[in-house]
Amino acid sequence: MRLLTRSNVLAAVNTGGPQWVVPTRVAVGVMLLFPADGAVQQLLAFSHPGFSVWPPGAVAVGLAIRGFEVLAGVSFVAGFGIRLSVYPAAAIFAVRALVNFANTFAWLRDAVSAVFVPHGDWAYGALYLGVALLLGDLQVTGSGRWSIDYWLCKRLNPQAKPDARR
């Protein structure tokens, strides 16, 4: 319990609680849990069924990447560990943006076709790029008042508890 009340651990869950954060983080979580254009492992060339030679472990890597997507999505929906979940979520949305932009621009499609399967169009790419940039704001503000982080911060903060010796 003493480890959890240290200031550096509480800094990871401390949230100021602005109201715009809650619907935003829930929407990002839903986008991670139920991707509109397929999960990231479906967009990787080495785990795609059309790829001629599957390297060993491609299925395991694809499942691990989908696992990161699901864990980050649940974290955003529940409001738990948002500041830690921002990093993998930003990488996931950046890959989705790159893949969608690659389908629109021929030069980008040629450059990334060995790694990614082009999918979608520039509009989805712009959407995912916007979400990746919005995650920077969530990194600063935290997960909002209706979250597990807010509850943990109030429960574990030693200054918030009344002194029983008085």
Side-chain angles (χ1 to χ4, degrees), residues 10-86:
L10 279 177
V13 298
N14 190 15
T15 181
Q19 292 189 3
W20 66 266
V21 172
V22 177
T24 304
R25 74 170 166 79
V26 170
V28 169
V30 169
M31 288 175 73
L32 284 166
L33 290 172
F34 308 106
D37 62 344
V40 170
Q41 89 262 16
Q42 295 171 347
L43 304 175
L44 297 173
F46 64 83
S47 65
H48 195 268
F51 195 66
S52 60
V53 179
W54 279 14
V59 175
V61 170
L63 289 175
I65 291 172
R66 181 62 186 147
F68 280 123
E69 279 184 314
V70 169
L71 286 175
V74 168
S75 175
F76 274 92
V77 169
F80 180 66
I82 294 294
R83 290 192 171 110
L84 299 175
S85 299
V86 162

Side-chain angles (χ1 to χ4, degrees), residues 74-160:
V74 168
S75 175
F76 274 92
V77 169
F80 180 66
I82 294 294
R83 290 192 171 110
L84 299 175
S85 299
V86 162
Y87 298 111
I92 288 167
F93 285 122
V95 166
R96 287 185 186 171
L98 180 67
V99 167
N100 284 287
F101 283 136
N103 200 28
T104 303
F105 302 110
W107 61 270
L108 186 58
R109 180 177 40 236
D110 294 340
V112 300
S113 64
V115 180
F116 300 112
V117 177
H119 192 72
D121 60 1
W122 69 269
Y124 276 118
L127 169 83
Y128 289 133
L129 183 62
V131 171
L133 293 174
L134 178 66
L135 290 174
D137 289 337
L138 290 177
Q139 173 70 27
V140 173
T141 59
S143 58
R145 287 196 183 265
W146 296 304
S147 66
I148 295 173
D149 286 349
Y150 185 76
W151 178 80
L152 280 174
C153 184
K154 292 298 178 192
R155 176 131 171 105
L156 298 176
N157 194 353
Q159 287 83 20

